[in-house]
């Protein structure tokens, strides 16, 4: 099982490595990953061998504390704790600053033109004692560094706190020794040596180190809160109260008091508190927070509503079906948290370095002190260089480099309607070289429509429709539903047929009076002995047009054939253009026949087609591509896509698809919009680029900073880094890494670009539309038209029209078909 734990007391990547190592050594633990940004531990373990308490005990033995983390409500609590921690660190910094400023004034004020209490300069003992007293409150306020650092140092697991404690502690001890030396020399009135000794105090360095490190921790904590805002914003979507019908009366109760079966009332502008089904009323729900879709979705009786969405217009009553952790919103939060808390493979380098980094830094610091002392540079110079090495080398930036980018990236993905299940999937996505698209339900809508009615000689079109629709009336096949809808639209009268029978892989038949009716493929007609003139040529012509023909007969006599076609999604062509713009190979993979598949591929701009494959063969096609050196992403939505999704380097499922497809995928698209595939891959590239930048600067900072702090450049150039500047540089390194990760918040979904759009001349058309009777109708038509690539539409219900701005290369028939698919009819286009 997978379990998430909160871990307290971690401050750097060394802490992260210690906790992971301690938990990974437990029997039954398959995987342990620490997220320093979230202060969390994700463990995959066999609960029959190891228990949660064993894991918590291992964390405590490593020198930290922990507890099991809860669900969505716990996420709010964690966010509040993070905010509270940032506020606490801020207060500690401000109070430290109150004492640091006068301390700096006393220690260095004589260098300034401002007035200075020369009584301190005339008395070296008072001068040293004043600095000692002013440094004590700073030491007390930041005592946590010493407590935690010493604890981990004695446990053999030194961390960032250990380095800070050693660096500032050495300054305090050195300053205290000088203080006693000054007092000792004053007893013998050796004023010259006493004044010389008082210039070697390091109290201001100790206080400055602690204050600057605290400043860095405060800025880091603020940035951490910001990086987790995507998750906390999702959690806050659920309203605190709900209006419920109880005993026929409307009552207001806390949202957590809802139970399954409750009838909840929601008015325009209110948030929906649970998942459910509309039982009364109607309206349009803004689901942008969950799916990224900006256009409100119609919600009539029988429609499903999701917790956290807003009823933009109307009034509904819905029955509560799912609550708490079972809601779509809770599952999204869980996926985003798991992805943000997981570890990308690229982070392993930082982990390996962090495991030995702190002991190595301590060794370098000791060596620096010994070498400079041996060179006769003086004790104070040697100690100063050693302190600078300790302070500048704190490995905070290394620990934050990857998780900050992953958390911000997955949060941005969620905002755009993309759910990434793991950091590893997000990393793999940037390597994709080939995108394999399923056809039905992915590139196309999966909803059949009648494309043509062709009666046999001496048979009228209305007769063919009546016979065919009556036969198919009780079937649930997509062809049958399309035919029934078409017959209703044409007001064709139907009759009652009996003994209805489905013949798998062939068609259907039924009896009407003394004769039988049959409909299906050409093989079925041949088996029934029905002669179909030019049957094979009809099949070929239909396939070339991307259609599937069904043949119908009555009493052994051929009545004619009806063509059906699957409609291409408006976003498919734009998605293929974007993927090609990214220099990716795009392949259409389908079980349909070759001619039909190629027609669809031609319509959307795909050159490579693999058709006529069975579900298990799709997995083989993906494997073959991988063997050829391609890194493959598969996009699908159905059960038959699950093997290919699982085989792919990255499986991408449409959230509107089946549960099996969603479970098999690494990434889930919450909107039925293929352009999100390009958005996903672009975001992955941006995240990996950001992680590499973070790791580069984290490593580069230490490679450059440690030699400078050790005084390597002192002899040739006279350059030496003081411990105070080292502390400031260390703090800024962590802040820079987190700030760089926050740049991902500026990520924008890819588009076709200005160069491609310049060649398209925009024009306006007015569509006169029949059938719109209310605001919901207008909203449905407007949403359907705006979903088309390069189209901007505004519907005027009073005039029964839609003003459409489009490019000159867009076919007007596509506009008419889009409106028809939405359930309305275009009378004319002006």
């Amino acid at each position: 099982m997978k379990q998430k734990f909160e871990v307290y007391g971690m401050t750097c990547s060394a802490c992260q490595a210690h906790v992971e190592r301690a938990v990974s050594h437990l029997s039954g633990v398959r995987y342990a990953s620490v997220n320093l940004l979230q202060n969390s531990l994700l463990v995959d373990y066999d609960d029959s061998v190891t228990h949660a308490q064993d894991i918590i005990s291992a964390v405590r033995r490593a020198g930290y504390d922990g507890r099991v983390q809860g669900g969505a409500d716990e996420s709010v609590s964690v966010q509040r704790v993070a905010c509270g921690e940032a506020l606490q660190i801020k207060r500690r910094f401000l109070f430290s600053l109150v004492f640091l400023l006068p301390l700096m004034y006393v220690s260095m004020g004589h260098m300034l033109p401002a007035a200075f209490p020369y009584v301190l300069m005339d008395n070296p003992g008072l001068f040293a004692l004043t600095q000692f007293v002013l440094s004590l409150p700073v030491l007390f306020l930041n005592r946590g560094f010493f407590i935690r650092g010493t604890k981990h140092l004695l446990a053999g697991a030194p961390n960032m706190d250990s380095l800070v404690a050693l660096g500032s502690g050495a300054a305090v001890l050195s300053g205290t020794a000088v203080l006693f030396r000054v007092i000792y020399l004053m007893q013998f009135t050796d004023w010259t040596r006493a004044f010389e000794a008082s210039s070697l105090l390091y109290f201001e360095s100790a206080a400055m180190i602690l204050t600057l490190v605290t400043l860095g921790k405060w800025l880091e904590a603020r940035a951490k809160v910001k990086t987790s805002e995507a998750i906390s914003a999702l959690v806050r979507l659920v309203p605190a109260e709900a209006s419920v019908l109880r005993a026929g009366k409307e009552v207001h109760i806390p949202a957590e008091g809802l139970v399954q079966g409750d009838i909840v009332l929601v008015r325009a502008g209110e948030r929906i508190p649970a998942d459910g089904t509309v039982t009364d009323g109607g309206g349009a729900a803004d689901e942008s927070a969950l799916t990224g879709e900006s256009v409100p979705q119609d919600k009539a009786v029988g429609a499903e509503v999701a917790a956290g969405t807003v009823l933009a217009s109307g009034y509904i009553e819905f029955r509560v079906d799912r609550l708490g952790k079972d809601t779509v919103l809770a599952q999204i939060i869980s996926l985003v948290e798991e992805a943000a808390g997981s570890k990308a493979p690229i982070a392993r380098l930082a982990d390996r370095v962090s495991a030995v980094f702190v002991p190595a830094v301590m060794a370098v610091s000791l060596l620096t002190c010994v070498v400079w002392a041996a060179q006769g540079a003086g004790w104070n110079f040697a100690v100063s260089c050693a302190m600078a090495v300790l302070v500048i080398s704190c490995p905070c930036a290394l620990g934050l480099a990857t998780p900050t980018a992953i958390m911000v990236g997955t949060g941005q993905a969620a905002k755009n309607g993309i759910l990434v299940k793991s950091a590893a999937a997000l990393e793999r996505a940037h390597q994709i070289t080939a995108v394999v698209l399923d056809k039905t339900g992915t590139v196309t809508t999966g909803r059949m429509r009648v494309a043509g009615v062709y009666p046999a000689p001496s048979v009228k079109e209305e007769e063919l429709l009546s016979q065919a629709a009556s036969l198919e009336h009780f079937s649930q096949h997509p062809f049958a539903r399309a035919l029934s809808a078409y017959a209703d639209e044409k007001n064709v009268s139907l009759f009652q047929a009996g003994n209805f029978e489905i013949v798998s892989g062939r068609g259907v038949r039924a009896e009407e009076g003394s004769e039988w009716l049959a409909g299906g493929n050409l093989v079925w007609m041949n088996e029934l002995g029905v002669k179909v003139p030019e049957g094979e040529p009809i099949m070929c012509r239909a396939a070339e047009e991307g259609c599937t023909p069904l043949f119908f007969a009555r009493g052994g006599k051929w009545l004619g054939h009806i063509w059906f076609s699957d409609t291409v999604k408006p976003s498919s062509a734009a998605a293929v253009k974007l993927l090609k713009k990214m220099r990716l190979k795009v392949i259409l993979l389908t079980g349909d026949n070759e001619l039909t598949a190629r027609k669809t591929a031609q319509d959307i701009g795909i050159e490579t087609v693999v058709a006529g494959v069975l579900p298990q063969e799709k997995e083989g096609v993906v494997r073959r591509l991988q063997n050829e050196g391609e890194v493959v992403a598969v996009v699908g939505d159905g059960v038959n896509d699950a093997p290919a999704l699982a085989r792919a380097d990255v499986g991408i499922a449409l959230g509107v698809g089946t549960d099996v497809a969603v479970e098999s995928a690494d990434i889930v698209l919450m909107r039925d919009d293929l352009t999100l595939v390009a958005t996903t891959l672009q975001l992955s590239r941006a995240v990996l680029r950001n992680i590499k930048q973070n790791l580069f600067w984290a490593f580069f900072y230490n490679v450059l900073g440690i030699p400078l702090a050790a005084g390597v450049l002192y002899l040739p150039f006279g350059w030496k880094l003081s411990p105070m500047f080292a502390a400031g540089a260390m703090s800024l390194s962590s802040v820079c890494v987190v700030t760089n990760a926050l740049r991902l918040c500026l990520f924008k979904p890819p588009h076709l670009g200005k160069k491609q759009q310049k060649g398209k001349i925009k024009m306006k058309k007015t569509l006169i539309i029949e059938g719109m009777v209310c605001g919901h109708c207008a909203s449905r038509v407007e949403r359907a038209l705006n979903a088309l690539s390069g189209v901007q539409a505004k519907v005027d219900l009073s005039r029964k029209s839609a003003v459409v701005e489009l490019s000159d290369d867009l076919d007007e028939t596509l506009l008419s078909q889009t409106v028809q698919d939405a359930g309305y009819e275009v009378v004319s286009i002006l």
Side-chain angles (χ1 to χ4, degrees), residues 145-146 159-171 205-214 357-358 361-362 364-365 383-397 701-702 705-706 709-710 721-734:
F145 288 115
F146 297 95
N159 63 353
M160 185 210 80
D161 291 332
S162 303
L163 296 179
V164 173
L166 285 172
S168 57
S205 293
M208 180 67 82
I209 289 171
L210 293 172
T211 304
L212 287 178
V213 171
T214 303
F357 188 78
V358 173
V361 166
M362 293 172 65
V364 171
S365 175
V383 170
S384 176
C385 290
M387 284 192 299
V389 169
L390 288 171
V391 175
I392 201 170
S393 305
C394 296
C396 303
Y701 157 81
N702 282 291
I706 292 176
L721 192 67
S722 76
M724 290 185 290
F725 284 109
M730 185 276 292
S731 299
L732 286 176
S733 68
S734 298

Side-chain angles (χ1 to χ4, degrees), residues 191-358:
W191 298 102
T192 301
R193 294 175 65 188
F195 276 113
E196 288 177 354
S198 66
S199 65
L200 301 176
L201 294 167
Y202 277 110
F203 292 123
E204 82 283 358
S205 293
M208 180 67 82
I209 289 171
L210 293 172
T211 304
L212 287 178
V213 171
T214 303
L215 171 62
K217 283 294 177 184
W218 172 42
L219 295 175
E220 184 183 306
R222 286 182 60 197
K224 284 182 180 181
V225 171
K226 191 170 182 61
T227 57
S228 60
E229 279 182 356
I231 295 175
S232 58
L234 286 173
V235 174
R236 291 194 298 266
L237 289 177
V238 179
E241 288 190 345
S243 300
V244 190
L245 282 179
R246 294 277 170 87
K249 294 182 179 180
E250 179 181 350
V251 294
H252 297 279
I253 64 170
E256 56 266 26
L258 290 172
V259 295
Q260 282 189 346
D262 272 343
I263 300 299
V264 179
L265 287 64
V266 183
R267 297 172 176 83
E270 295 180 347
R271 288 197 179 274
I272 296 170
D275 288 4
T277 305
V278 177
T279 57
D280 195 11
D286 179 358
E287 299 179 341
S288 58
L290 301 188
T291 67
E293 173 60 67
S294 59
V295 180
Q297 306 295 302
D298 291 331
K299 299 298 176 183
V301 173
E304 292 188 351
V305 293
T309 58
V310 179
L311 190 66
S313 63
Y315 165 85
I316 62 170
E317 296 178 9
F318 74 93
R319 180 185 65 252
V320 174
D321 296 332
R322 293 180 297 276
L323 291 160
K325 296 181 180 179
D326 297 325
T327 63
V328 172
L329 175 62
Q331 291 169 15
I332 290 174
I333 292 170
S334 177
L335 278 174
V336 174
E337 283 185 330
E338 187 170 335
S342 62
K343 187 168 293 185
I346 196 173
R348 291 170 187 160
L349 175 62
D351 290 346
R352 287 195 293 268
V353 172
S354 299
V356 297
F357 188 78
V358 173

Side-chain angles (χ1 to χ4, degrees), residues 583-781:
R583 299 181 181 179
L584 299 173
K585 182 185 293 184
V586 185
I587 301 164
L588 186 67
L589 182 63
T590 178
D592 282 356
N593 67 70
E594 182 84 13
L595 290 174
T596 302
R598 289 203 174 278
K599 177 63 171 66
T600 301
Q602 181 183 349
D603 290 342
I604 61 175
I606 295 179
E607 290 81 25
T608 308
V609 177
V610 181
V613 291
L614 298 173
Q616 60 270 26
E617 293 173 338
K618 289 185 176 183
E619 185 268 347
V621 172
V622 175
R623 191 189 316 117
R624 189 183 73 239
L625 287 169
Q626 291 171 329
N627 292 337
E628 293 172 357
E630 302 287 356
V631 182
V632 184
V634 172
V635 186
D637 74 317
V639 174
N640 60 346
D641 300 320
L645 287 168
R647 164 60 61 180
D649 295 286
V650 176
I652 303 176
L654 297 178
V656 293
T658 65
D659 291 340
V660 176
V662 172
E663 286 297 324
S664 304
D666 303 298
I667 296 171
V668 180
L669 309 182
M670 294 301 292
R671 287 204 314 271
D672 193 9
D673 183 353
L674 269 185
T675 59
L676 287 181
V677 176
T679 302
T680 302
L681 301 184
Q682 289 278 40
L683 180 59
S684 171
R685 293 179 180 183
V687 169
L688 263 293
R689 188 163 53 246
N690 194 280
I691 289 175
K692 289 175 181 177
Q693 290 168 354
N694 286 349
L695 288 174
F696 170 79
W697 286 113
F699 281 116
F700 179 75
Y701 157 81
N702 282 291
V703 169
L704 186 65
I706 292 176
L708 184 61
V712 171
L713 301 179
Y714 182 75
L715 292 179
F717 302 107
W719 294 350
K720 176 184 174 296
L721 192 67
S722 76
M724 290 185 290
F725 284 109
M730 185 276 292
S731 299
L732 286 176
S733 68
S734 298
V735 175
C736 288
V737 163
V738 177
T739 304
N740 185 50
L742 289 173
R743 289 193 308 110
L744 288 169
C745 293
L746 304 175
F747 173 82
K748 300 294 182 184
H751 53 80
L752 292 177
K754 295 180 180 178
K755 188 176 290 186
Q756 284 179 280
Q757 292 175 354
K758 278 181 181 177
K760 295 184 179 181
I761 302 171
K762 290 287 185 178
M763 58 174 61
K764 284 189 177 181
K765 296 281 185 180
T766 300
L767 281 60
I768 307 302
I769 303 170
E770 285 293 335
M772 297 190 300
V773 295
C774 65
H776 300 310
C777 300
S779 174
R780 189 178 295 114
V781 172

Side-chain angles (χ1 to χ4, degrees), residues 132 135 139 146 167-177 202-203 206-207 210 387:
F132 175 70
S135 67
L139 294 172
F146 297 95
S168 57
V172 171
L173 292 175
S174 175
T176 305
Y202 277 110
F203 292 123
L210 293 172
M387 284 192 299

Side-chain angles (χ1 to χ4, degrees), residues 127-146:
F127 178 69
L129 187 61
T130 302
Q131 292 185 50
F132 175 70
V133 171
L134 286 172
S135 67
L136 288 179
V138 180
L139 294 172
F140 177 77
L141 288 167
N142 298 281
R143 61 191 180 280
F145 288 115
F146 297 95

